[in-house]
mmCIF file of all heavy atoms in Angstrom:
data_model
loop_
_atom_site.group_PDB
_atom_site.id
_atom_site.type_symbol
_atom_site.label_atom_id
_atom_site.label_comp_id
_atom_site.label_asym_id
_atom_site.label_seq_id
_atom_site.Cartn_x
_atom_site.Cartn_y
_atom_site.Cartn_z
ATOM 1 N N PRO A 39 -10.056 33.835 -16.419
ATOM 2 C CA PRO A 39 -9.153 33.572 -15.298
ATOM 3 C C PRO A 39 -8.089 34.648 -15.122
ATOM 4 O O PRO A 39 -7.713 34.974 -13.998
ATOM 5 C CB PRO A 39 -8.542 32.201 -15.636
ATOM 6 C CG PRO A 39 -8.894 31.927 -17.049
ATOM 7 C CD PRO A 39 -10.113 32.692 -17.352
ATOM 8 N N VAL A 40 -7.615 35.232 -16.218
ATOM 9 C CA VAL A 40 -6.654 36.328 -16.103
ATOM 10 C C VAL A 40 -7.297 37.529 -15.415
ATOM 11 O O VAL A 40 -6.661 38.212 -14.604
ATOM 12 C CB VAL A 40 -6.100 36.730 -17.489
ATOM 13 C CG1 VAL A 40 -5.249 37.987 -17.389
ATOM 14 C CG2 VAL A 40 -5.282 35.598 -18.085
ATOM 15 N N LEU A 43 -7.292 37.034 -11.677
ATOM 16 C CA LEU A 43 -5.968 37.274 -11.118
ATOM 17 C C LEU A 43 -5.605 38.747 -11.144
ATOM 18 O O LEU A 43 -5.028 39.281 -10.181
ATOM 19 C CB LEU A 43 -4.931 36.460 -11.880
ATOM 20 C CG LEU A 43 -5.005 34.948 -11.682
ATOM 21 C CD1 LEU A 43 -4.118 34.228 -12.687
ATOM 22 C CD2 LEU A 43 -4.623 34.565 -10.262
ATOM 23 N N VAL A 64 5.867 35.455 -8.972
ATOM 24 C CA VAL A 64 4.480 35.063 -8.712
ATOM 25 C C VAL A 64 4.367 33.587 -9.067
ATOM 26 O O VAL A 64 4.614 33.195 -10.216
ATOM 27 C CB VAL A 64 3.474 35.896 -9.541
ATOM 28 C CG1 VAL A 64 2.061 35.361 -9.362
ATOM 29 C CG2 VAL A 64 3.543 37.362 -9.135
ATOM 30 N N LEU A 66 1.895 30.399 -9.252
ATOM 31 C CA LEU A 66 0.457 30.121 -9.318
ATOM 32 C C LEU A 66 0.176 28.657 -9.606
ATOM 33 O O LEU A 66 0.858 28.024 -10.415
ATOM 34 C CB LEU A 66 -0.207 30.951 -10.416
ATOM 35 C CG LEU A 66 -0.458 32.432 -10.149
ATOM 36 C CD1 LEU A 66 -1.109 33.046 -11.368
ATOM 37 C CD2 LEU A 66 -1.333 32.640 -8.918
ATOM 38 N N GLY A 67 -0.859 28.138 -8.978
ATOM 39 C CA GLY A 67 -1.362 26.819 -9.292
ATOM 40 C C GLY A 67 -2.535 26.898 -10.241
ATOM 41 O O GLY A 67 -3.379 27.783 -10.132
ATOM 42 N N CYS A 68 -2.572 25.992 -11.193
ATOM 43 C CA CYS A 68 -3.716 25.855 -12.098
ATOM 44 C C CYS A 68 -3.758 24.398 -12.537
ATOM 45 O O CYS A 68 -2.791 23.882 -13.103
ATOM 46 C CB CYS A 68 -3.594 26.771 -13.304
ATOM 47 S SG CYS A 68 -5.028 26.719 -14.397
ATOM 48 N N VAL A 69 -4.873 23.730 -12.269
ATOM 49 C CA VAL A 69 -4.958 22.291 -12.506
ATOM 50 C C VAL A 69 -5.269 21.961 -13.967
ATOM 51 O O VAL A 69 -4.885 20.916 -14.462
ATOM 52 C CB VAL A 69 -5.996 21.660 -11.554
ATOM 53 C CG1 VAL A 69 -6.183 20.176 -11.820
ATOM 54 C CG2 VAL A 69 -5.558 21.867 -10.101
ATOM 55 N N THR A 70 -5.959 22.861 -14.641
ATOM 56 C CA THR A 70 -6.300 22.647 -16.049
ATOM 57 C C THR A 70 -5.694 23.791 -16.864
ATOM 58 O O THR A 70 -6.390 24.709 -17.293
ATOM 59 C CB THR A 70 -7.827 22.590 -16.236
ATOM 60 O OG1 THR A 70 -8.384 21.672 -15.291
ATOM 61 C CG2 THR A 70 -8.201 22.124 -17.633
ATOM 62 N N PRO A 71 -4.374 23.756 -17.082
ATOM 63 C CA PRO A 71 -3.677 24.897 -17.687
ATOM 64 C C PRO A 71 -3.738 24.890 -19.211
ATOM 65 O O PRO A 71 -2.735 24.702 -19.898
ATOM 66 C CB PRO A 71 -2.246 24.720 -17.175
ATOM 67 C CG PRO A 71 -2.086 23.245 -17.055
ATOM 68 C CD PRO A 71 -3.437 22.706 -16.662
ATOM 69 N N ILE A 72 -4.941 25.072 -19.738
ATOM 70 C CA ILE A 72 -5.113 25.127 -21.195
ATOM 71 C C ILE A 72 -5.910 26.374 -21.549
ATOM 72 O O ILE A 72 -6.522 27.013 -20.686
ATOM 73 C CB ILE A 72 -5.831 23.875 -21.733
ATOM 74 C CG1 ILE A 72 -7.223 23.746 -21.127
ATOM 75 C CG2 ILE A 72 -5.009 22.628 -21.461
ATOM 76 C CD1 ILE A 72 -8.067 22.668 -21.786
ATOM 77 N N GLY A 73 -5.924 26.715 -22.836
ATOM 78 C CA GLY A 73 -6.689 27.862 -23.288
ATOM 79 C C GLY A 73 -6.281 29.117 -22.546
ATOM 80 O O GLY A 73 -5.091 29.423 -22.412
ATOM 81 N N GLU A 74 -7.242 29.869 -22.041
ATOM 82 C CA GLU A 74 -6.964 31.113 -21.321
ATOM 83 C C GLU A 74 -6.169 30.883 -20.041
ATOM 84 O O GLU A 74 -5.558 31.815 -19.517
ATOM 85 C CB GLU A 74 -8.275 31.797 -20.937
ATOM 86 C CG GLU A 74 -9.180 32.131 -22.088
ATOM 87 C CD GLU A 74 -10.614 32.339 -21.616
ATOM 88 O OE1 GLU A 74 -11.104 31.527 -20.805
ATOM 89 O OE2 GLU A 74 -11.222 33.329 -22.043
ATOM 90 N N GLN A 75 -6.213 29.646 -19.527
ATOM 91 C CA GLN A 75 -5.488 29.335 -18.299
ATOM 92 C C GLN A 75 -4.092 28.776 -18.581
ATOM 93 O O GLN A 75 -3.350 28.464 -17.663
ATOM 94 C CB GLN A 75 -6.264 28.314 -17.455
ATOM 95 C CG GLN A 75 -7.588 28.835 -16.968
ATOM 96 C CD GLN A 75 -8.321 27.892 -16.038
ATOM 97 O OE1 GLN A 75 -9.168 28.312 -15.283
ATOM 98 N NE2 GLN A 75 -8.023 26.599 -16.077
ATOM 99 N N GLY A 76 -3.742 28.655 -19.851
ATOM 100 C CA GLY A 76 -2.463 28.067 -20.224
ATOM 101 C C GLY A 76 -1.389 29.102 -20.467
ATOM 102 O O GLY A 76 -1.539 30.289 -20.148
ATOM 103 N N ALA A 77 -0.268 28.620 -21.035
ATOM 104 C CA ALA A 77 0.840 29.496 -21.451
ATOM 105 C C ALA A 77 1.356 30.364 -20.308
ATOM 106 O O ALA A 77 1.576 31.550 -20.468
ATOM 107 C CB ALA A 77 0.419 30.365 -22.632
ATOM 108 N N ASP A 78 1.548 29.786 -19.144
ATOM 109 C CA ASP A 78 2.063 30.487 -17.963
ATOM 110 C C ASP A 78 1.207 31.700 -17.621
ATOM 111 O O ASP A 78 1.623 32.855 -17.764
ATOM 112 C CB ASP A 78 3.529 30.890 -18.142
ATOM 113 C CG ASP A 78 4.161 31.321 -16.821
ATOM 114 O OD1 ASP A 78 3.484 31.275 -15.782
ATOM 115 O OD2 ASP A 78 5.346 31.710 -16.845
ATOM 116 N N ILE A 79 0.014 31.416 -17.144
ATOM 117 C CA ILE A 79 -0.940 32.471 -16.807
ATOM 118 C C ILE A 79 -0.404 33.404 -15.725
ATOM 119 O O ILE A 79 -0.818 34.572 -15.633
ATOM 120 C CB ILE A 79 -2.301 31.857 -16.397
ATOM 121 C CG1 ILE A 79 -3.375 32.948 -16.296
ATOM 122 C CG2 ILE A 79 -2.177 31.059 -15.114
ATOM 123 C CD1 ILE A 79 -4.762 32.398 -16.064
ATOM 124 N N ALA A 80 0.525 32.935 -14.901
ATOM 125 C CA ALA A 80 1.084 33.792 -13.855
ATOM 126 C C ALA A 80 1.753 35.024 -14.452
ATOM 127 O O ALA A 80 1.519 36.154 -14.014
ATOM 128 C CB ALA A 80 2.084 33.004 -13.006
ATOM 129 N N ARG A 81 2.580 34.829 -15.452
ATOM 130 C CA ARG A 81 3.263 35.961 -16.079
ATOM 131 C C ARG A 81 2.284 36.840 -16.847
ATOM 132 O O ARG A 81 2.368 38.074 -16.802
ATOM 133 C CB ARG A 81 4.356 35.447 -17.019
ATOM 134 C CG ARG A 81 5.094 36.537 -17.792
ATOM 135 C CD ARG A 81 5.803 37.538 -16.911
ATOM 136 N NE ARG A 81 6.593 38.471 -17.730
ATOM 137 C CZ ARG A 81 7.159 39.579 -17.273
ATOM 138 N NH1 ARG A 81 7.030 39.919 -15.998
ATOM 139 N NH2 ARG A 81 7.856 40.366 -18.090
ATOM 140 N N THR A 82 1.320 36.223 -17.504
ATOM 141 C CA THR A 82 0.306 36.999 -18.222
ATOM 142 C C THR A 82 -0.440 37.913 -17.277
ATOM 143 O O THR A 82 -0.684 39.092 -17.574
ATOM 144 C CB THR A 82 -0.685 36.054 -18.926
ATOM 145 O OG1 THR A 82 0.021 35.143 -19.758
ATOM 146 C CG2 THR A 82 -1.685 36.841 -19.762
ATOM 147 N N ALA A 83 -0.825 37.383 -16.117
ATOM 148 C CA ALA A 83 -1.581 38.169 -15.148
ATOM 149 C C ALA A 83 -0.749 39.309 -14.570
ATOM 150 O O ALA A 83 -1.263 40.415 -14.340
ATOM 151 C CB ALA A 83 -2.081 37.261 -14.027
ATOM 152 N N VAL A 84 0.539 39.070 -14.328
ATOM 153 C CA VAL A 84 1.427 40.130 -13.837
ATOM 154 C C VAL A 84 1.442 41.303 -14.808
ATOM 155 O O VAL A 84 1.345 42.473 -14.411
ATOM 156 C CB VAL A 84 2.860 39.575 -13.647
ATOM 157 C CG1 VAL A 84 3.878 40.707 -13.521
ATOM 158 C CG2 VAL A 84 2.924 38.679 -12.419
ATOM 159 N N LEU A 85 1.558 41.006 -16.092
ATOM 160 C CA LEU A 85 1.594 42.062 -17.097
ATOM 161 C C LEU A 85 0.243 42.755 -17.225
ATOM 162 O O LEU A 85 0.167 43.989 -17.351
ATOM 163 C CB LEU A 85 2.021 41.476 -18.447
ATOM 164 C CG LEU A 85 3.439 40.885 -18.486
ATOM 165 C CD1 LEU A 85 3.686 40.196 -19.820
ATOM 166 C CD2 LEU A 85 4.482 41.966 -18.217
ATOM 167 N N ASP A 86 -0.848 41.977 -17.185
ATOM 168 C CA ASP A 86 -2.178 42.571 -17.319
ATOM 169 C C ASP A 86 -2.510 43.464 -16.136
ATOM 170 O O ASP A 86 -3.198 44.478 -16.285
ATOM 171 C CB ASP A 86 -3.229 41.464 -17.455
ATOM 172 C CG ASP A 86 -4.595 42.009 -17.849
ATOM 173 O OD1 ASP A 86 -4.649 42.921 -18.703
ATOM 174 O OD2 ASP A 86 -5.600 41.540 -17.304
ATOM 175 N N ALA A 94 8.655 38.177 -12.116
ATOM 176 C CA ALA A 94 8.530 36.968 -12.923
ATOM 177 C C ALA A 94 7.242 36.229 -12.566
ATOM 178 O O ALA A 94 6.513 36.618 -11.652
ATOM 179 C CB ALA A 94 9.743 36.071 -12.696
ATOM 180 N N GLY A 95 6.961 35.145 -13.286
ATOM 181 C CA GLY A 95 5.757 34.359 -13.002
ATOM 182 C C GLY A 95 5.923 32.936 -13.462
ATOM 183 O O GLY A 95 6.495 32.680 -14.529
ATOM 184 N N VAL A 96 5.427 31.987 -12.656
ATOM 185 C CA VAL A 96 5.497 30.574 -13.017
ATOM 186 C C VAL A 96 4.189 29.901 -12.629
ATOM 187 O O VAL A 96 3.595 30.230 -11.595
ATOM 188 C CB VAL A 96 6.697 29.878 -12.336
ATOM 189 C CG1 VAL A 96 6.576 29.895 -10.815
ATOM 190 C CG2 VAL A 96 6.857 28.444 -12.830
ATOM 191 N N THR A 97 3.736 28.969 -13.446
ATOM 192 C CA THR A 97 2.506 28.232 -13.188
ATOM 193 C C THR A 97 2.842 26.760 -13.021
ATOM 194 O O THR A 97 3.633 26.203 -13.780
ATOM 195 C CB THR A 97 1.511 28.405 -14.360
ATOM 196 O OG1 THR A 97 1.335 29.798 -14.616
ATOM 197 C CG2 THR A 97 0.170 27.784 -14.028
ATOM 198 N N GLN A 98 2.237 26.127 -12.006
ATOM 199 C CA GLN A 98 2.506 24.717 -11.738
ATOM 200 C C GLN A 98 1.211 24.008 -11.363
ATOM 201 O O GLN A 98 0.200 24.649 -11.079
ATOM 202 C CB GLN A 98 3.554 24.567 -10.626
ATOM 203 C CG GLN A 98 3.221 25.269 -9.318
ATOM 204 C CD GLN A 98 2.243 24.540 -8.433
ATOM 205 O OE1 GLN A 98 2.161 23.318 -8.473
ATOM 206 N NE2 GLN A 98 1.487 25.270 -7.630
ATOM 207 N N SER A 99 1.263 22.673 -11.390
ATOM 208 C CA SER A 99 0.101 21.881 -10.984
ATOM 209 C C SER A 99 0.522 20.716 -10.109
ATOM 210 O O SER A 99 1.360 19.906 -10.504
ATOM 211 C CB SER A 99 -0.647 21.335 -12.210
ATOM 212 O OG SER A 99 -1.660 20.420 -11.790
ATOM 213 N N VAL A 129 -5.561 29.766 -9.453
ATOM 214 C CA VAL A 129 -6.784 30.167 -10.138
ATOM 215 C C VAL A 129 -7.384 28.960 -10.836
ATOM 216 O O VAL A 129 -6.672 28.036 -11.239
ATOM 217 C CB VAL A 129 -6.486 31.291 -11.173
ATOM 218 C CG1 VAL A 129 -5.594 30.773 -12.301
ATOM 219 C CG2 VAL A 129 -7.763 31.899 -11.730
ATOM 220 N N TRP A 135 -13.404 26.195 -18.383
ATOM 221 C CA TRP A 135 -12.510 25.094 -18.747
ATOM 222 C C TRP A 135 -12.817 23.905 -17.849
ATOM 223 O O TRP A 135 -12.425 23.862 -16.690
ATOM 224 C CB TRP A 135 -11.049 25.533 -18.635
ATOM 225 C CG TRP A 135 -10.791 26.686 -19.544
ATOM 226 C CD1 TRP A 135 -10.755 28.004 -19.220
ATOM 227 C CD2 TRP A 135 -10.635 26.618 -20.972
ATOM 228 N NE1 TRP A 135 -10.566 28.774 -20.342
ATOM 229 C CE2 TRP A 135 -10.489 27.960 -21.433
ATOM 230 C CE3 TRP A 135 -10.596 25.573 -21.889
ATOM 231 C CZ2 TRP A 135 -10.313 28.251 -22.774
ATOM 232 C CZ3 TRP A 135 -10.417 25.877 -23.235
ATOM 233 C CH2 TRP A 135 -10.280 27.200 -23.659
ATOM 234 N N ASP A 140 -7.864 18.918 -20.052
ATOM 235 C CA ASP A 140 -6.482 18.923 -20.527
ATOM 236 C C ASP A 140 -5.950 17.513 -20.736
ATOM 237 O O ASP A 140 -4.806 17.338 -21.162
ATOM 238 C CB ASP A 140 -5.578 19.686 -19.553
ATOM 239 C CG ASP A 140 -5.628 19.124 -18.146
ATOM 240 O OD1 ASP A 140 -6.660 18.530 -17.782
ATOM 241 O OD2 ASP A 140 -4.647 19.278 -17.401
#
Side-chain angles (χ1 to χ4, degrees):
V40 172
L43 291 169
V64 174
L66 284 180
C68 184
V69 177
T70 310
I72 61 170
E74 302 160 315
Q75 296 185 158
D78 193 2
I79 191 173
R81 177 60 174 169
T82 306
V84 164
L85 297 174
D86 190 41
V96 63
T97 307
Q98 56 79 28
S99 172
V129 66
W135 300 99
D140 57 333

